């Protein structure tokens, strides 16, 4: 294999591959597969759970492929400006450019595991801003490994469009993507969600679901990840039948007040939210003794008081992404924040908890 290309384009492809490259016991998984043919180069990294491939236009003098350590190749190419040339012979890669010449010992391509998912697509759709939609719900994913089906984002269809939802059992974030799809039911694991948010930010993507995998792609980048096996619970039942906002305030004021409460660093994340004609007061006990209060001076028509998790509250307001938050809150009923296609819900806490 002999190729020439700009170092910057190869660096970007290697950075993506490195995001999933493994540092485990299999040397091949620490590597990137570089394949060149017909004026195109693809760079692929894998950790057995996820695989990322990037496609780049290059000058191919001789087609071929190689498997080399991703981190080492990235370190070398990153020091080359302008054009870089790579020649491969007997699994060894020679990299030259900017007065630099380096030789990397590679591994046989056959050592690199490629999961050939031959299952037919169960569903597919095109989604604008898919990564952005995921970022609005991913906070609610469960960190409890014993509840593995909650450790990701669930995709389902409702009203002809794809709904994203995540929940840890106490909070729920739901987003209507607007992407048209006849049927979909799959759980994308948290690790893959993180990769999608990073790699595909701001892009329109094709999403294909099989029995085992999710494939997210553009014309130049493809990510394949295993799905979480199991059935996602019917978390939509957390949503009250009727949602009537009774607390209204600027989102930035609410977030600022919740940040003040968070500075108390109390272990349970508990805060009391009281709405009166004077505004909305957030109060919490300070770890080690004492209390902290912050008043948002936005008069409210209805007087209510609720104890809740300030972190759930703050993240729901952030994810709603609206100038003015309209919230249904009060007593022991679920707290609901909505804006456009987003719905955020979290449960209040008991007074004696």
């Amino acid at each position: 294999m002999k190729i020439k290309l700009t170092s910057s384009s190869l660096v970007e492809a290697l950075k993506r591959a490195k995001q999933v490259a493994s540092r485990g016991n299999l040397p091949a998984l620490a590597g990137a597969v570089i394949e060149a043919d017909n004026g195109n180069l693809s760079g692929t990294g894998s950790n057995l759970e996820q695989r990322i491939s990037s496609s780049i236009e290059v000058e191919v003098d001789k087609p071929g492929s190689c498997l080399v350590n991703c981190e080492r190749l990235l370190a070398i190419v990153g020091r080359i400006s302008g054009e870089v040339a790579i020649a491969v012979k007997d699994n060894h890669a020679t990299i030259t450019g900017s007065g630099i010449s380096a030789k990397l010992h590679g591994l046989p391509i056959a050592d690199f595991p490629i999961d050939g998912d031959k299952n037919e697509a169960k569903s597919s759709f095109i989604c604008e801003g898919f990564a952005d939609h995921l970022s609005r719900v991913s906070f609610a994913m469960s960190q409890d490994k014993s509840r593995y089906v909650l450790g990701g984002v669930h995709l389902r269809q409702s009203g002809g469009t794809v709904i994203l939802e995540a929940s840890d059992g106490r909070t729920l974030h739901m987003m209507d993507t607007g992407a048209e799809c006849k049927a979909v039911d799959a759980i994308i694991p948290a690790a893959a969600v993180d990769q999608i948010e990073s790699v595909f930010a701001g892009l329109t993507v094709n999403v294909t679901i099989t029995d085992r995998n999710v494939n997210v792609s553009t014309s130049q980048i493809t990510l394949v990840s295993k799905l979480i096996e199991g059935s996602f619970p019917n978390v939509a039942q957390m949503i009250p039948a009727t949602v009537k906002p009774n607390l209204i305030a600027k989102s930035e004021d609410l977030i600022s007040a919740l940040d003040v409460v968070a500075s108390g660093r109390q272990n349970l994340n508990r805060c009391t939210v009281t709405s009166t004609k004077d505004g909305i007061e957030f109060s919490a006990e300070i770890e080690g003794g004492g209390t902290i209060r912050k008043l948002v001076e936005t008069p409210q028509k209805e007087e209510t008081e609720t104890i809740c998790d300030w972190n759930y509250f703050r993240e729901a307001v952030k994810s709603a992404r609206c100038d003015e938050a309209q919230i249904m809150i009060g007593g022991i009923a679920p707290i609901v924040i909505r804006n456009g296609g987003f719905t955020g819900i979290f449960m209040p806490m008991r007074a004696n908890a």
Side-chain angles (χ1 to χ4, degrees):
M1 181 178 83
K2 288 185 179 180
I3 58 173
K4 292 179 182 178
L5 70 162
T6 60
S7 61
S8 58
S9 61
L10 182 54
V11 163
E12 288 304 309
L14 291 172
K15 282 182 177 179
R16 295 188 193 108
K18 186 181 175 217
Q19 284 183 246
V20 297
S22 170
R23 294 190 178 186
N25 295 326
L26 294 176
L29 292 180
V33 172
I34 308 297
E35 299 176 286
D37 195 12
N38 297 324
N40 184 74
L41 176 144
S42 67
T44 302
S46 174
N47 60 14
L48 296 180
E49 297 294 326
Q50 288 92 38
R51 181 174 78 249
I52 295 180
S53 297
S54 301
S55 178
I56 311 168
E57 290 186 0
V58 299
E59 180 182 334
V60 180
D61 295 330
K62 182 179 179 181
S65 59
C66 64
L67 170 58
V68 294
N69 184 279
C70 186
E71 188 170 359
R72 292 170 189 164
L73 179 58
L74 179 58
I76 295 167
V77 176
R79 293 185 174 277
I80 296 175
S81 58
E83 188 177 76
V84 58
I86 300 177
V88 177
K89 184 178 181 180
D90 298 330
N91 294 327
H92 299 330
T94 301
I95 305 100
T96 56
S98 298
I100 296 172
S101 179
K103 190 172 186 178
L104 280 179
H105 291 215
L107 294 169
I109 289 290
D111 288 358
F112 191 79
I114 295 293
D115 180 12
D117 185 2
K118 303 300 182 182
N119 295 317
E120 293 184 3
K122 294 171 58 179
S123 55
S124 62
F125 57 90
I126 298 172
C127 186
E128 182 180 355
F130 185 61
D132 182 63
H133 295 323
L134 283 173
S135 71
R136 297 179 72 175
V137 303
S138 57
F139 163 80
M141 295 185 298
S142 176
Q143 305 298 315
D144 185 352
K145 295 186 182 300
S146 67
R147 309 183 72 183
Y148 67 96
V149 295
L150 297 180
V153 172
H154 181 227
L155 283 66
R156 64 178 175 86
Q157 183 260 56
S158 178
T161 61
V162 178
I163 307 296
L164 307 179
E165 56 189 11
S167 176
D168 63 3
R170 293 179 295 169
T171 185
L172 165 66
H173 283 197
M174 185 181 299
M175 184 71 201
D176 186 342
T177 66
E180 296 181 356
C181 185
K182 292 182 179 179
V184 63
D185 182 13
I187 308 171
I188 303 177
V193 171
D194 291 343
Q195 296 295 342
I196 294 168
E197 290 181 15
S198 171
V199 173
F200 297 100
L203 300 177
T204 297
V205 299
N206 297 285
V207 182
T208 301
I209 306 291
T210 70
D211 284 331
R212 297 174 54 197
N213 294 338
V214 57
N215 181 311
V216 182
S217 64
T218 64
S219 60
Q220 294 183 313
I221 310 169
T222 299
L223 180 145
V224 179
S225 170
K226 291 182 178 180
L227 295 169
I228 293 177
E229 296 182 4
S231 298
F232 202 80
N234 182 20
V235 293
Q237 63 187 353
M238 292 174 61
I239 305 175
T242 303
V243 176
K244 294 182 178 180
N246 59 343
L247 186 153
I248 301 174
K250 290 184 178 180
S251 294
E252 61 180 359
D253 292 341
L254 293 174
I255 292 170
S256 176
L258 288 160
D259 284 341
V260 170
V261 170
S263 65
R265 301 193 311 276
Q266 15 87 45
N267 293 330
L268 295 177
N269 290 0
R270 289 166 58 87
C271 76
T272 300
V273 184
T274 307
S275 63
T276 67
K277 62 181 180 180
D278 296 321
I280 308 163
E281 183 184 76
F282 295 87
S283 61
E285 295 181 0
I286 296 176
E287 188 175 13
T291 57
I292 186 166
R293 301 177 185 275
K294 172 64 176 177
L295 178 67
V296 176
E297 296 181 1
T298 304
Q300 302 298 306
K301 295 180 179 179
E302 183 177 325
E303 294 189 359
T304 64
E305 183 171 284
T306 300
I307 299 173
C308 65
D309 184 309
W310 54 258
N311 196 34
Y312 287 163
F313 200 137
R314 178 176 58 183
E315 293 302 322
V317 173
K318 285 183 177 180
S319 296
R321 297 182 185 175
C322 51
D323 293 333
E324 187 176 71
Q326 300 190 29
I327 305 164
M328 186 180 83
I329 188 171
I332 60 172
I335 300 161
V336 184
I337 301 175
R338 276 182 169 167
N339 180 43
F342 174 81
T343 300
I345 300 174
F346 54 101
M347 304 302 294
M349 303 173 77
R350 295 180 180 178
N352 58 354

